[in-house]
Structure formats: C-alpha cells, structure tokens
Amino acid sequence: MLNQVTARLRKFFGIARKEHGLHAPFRVTTHRGHTVQTFQSLELALEAAEALGPDHYVIDRHGLQIWNPQRKLLRDEE
C-alpha cells in the first residue's frame, strides 16, 4: 500500500523513481529514517508527508526534524 501511495505522489510531482537529490533541502522520511523522497520546497515536502501518513516526517538538510504529524511544524525555517 505504501508503495502505491509513494508511486502516486512521485507521478503527481513528476519525480523520478530512485533519485534522492543529495542537495535537496528537505526530505520526507519514515519513522525508521529511510528517505522516501526529497524536495526543494518545504510546502511540497509537508504535503507529501501528510499524504503518506502518520509514520512520515520532514527533516532538513542537516538531519533536524522540522515536521511530524503529532506536533506539526517544529521549527521556523525562515
């Protein structure tokens, strides 16, 4: 089921299957730390994490968690 959701998000955002953009500032990860997708935009990363469900988080390029489903936005990125 997760693979189907991820595939739909990749198709929606026009993202290639295995490219994880090393320099992208935001990553959507699972609770185990596996990167699902990377994004240049915080808004897109937040939308993807919310769509994927409660076990997904947004972290920044330094590995700091900036969003989780329980607390929403954890720190201001401006």
Side-chain angles (χ1 to χ4, degrees):
M1 170 118 173
L2 176 61
N3 289 336
Q4 293 172 346
V5 172
T6 303
R8 278 187 257 143
L9 282 172
R10 284 188 179 119
K11 184 176 179 181
F12 177 75
F13 292 122
I15 300 167
R17 184 164 184 2
K18 288 292 183 179
E19 291 184 26
H20 285 304
L22 296 175
H23 301 291
F26 305 104
R27 291 185 289 158
V28 175
T29 64
T30 64
H31 69 282
R32 293 184 180 170
H34 296 79
T35 298
V36 175
Q37 191 61 54
T38 59
F39 295 91
Q40 293 295 325
S41 163
L42 177 59
E43 286 182 7
L44 291 176
L46 292 172
E47 286 178 24
E50 285 184 290
L52 288 168
D55 291 338
H56 293 82
Y57 305 91
V58 175
I59 59 174
D60 68 4
R61 77 180 101 218
H62 305 291
L64 299 172
Q65 188 181 91
I66 58 173
W67 182 90
N68 73 34
Q70 294 81 27
R71 293 182 57 200
K72 300 294 178 189
L73 197 59
L74 297 178
R75 70 184 179 105
D76 188 7
E77 282 297 305
E78 291 184 29

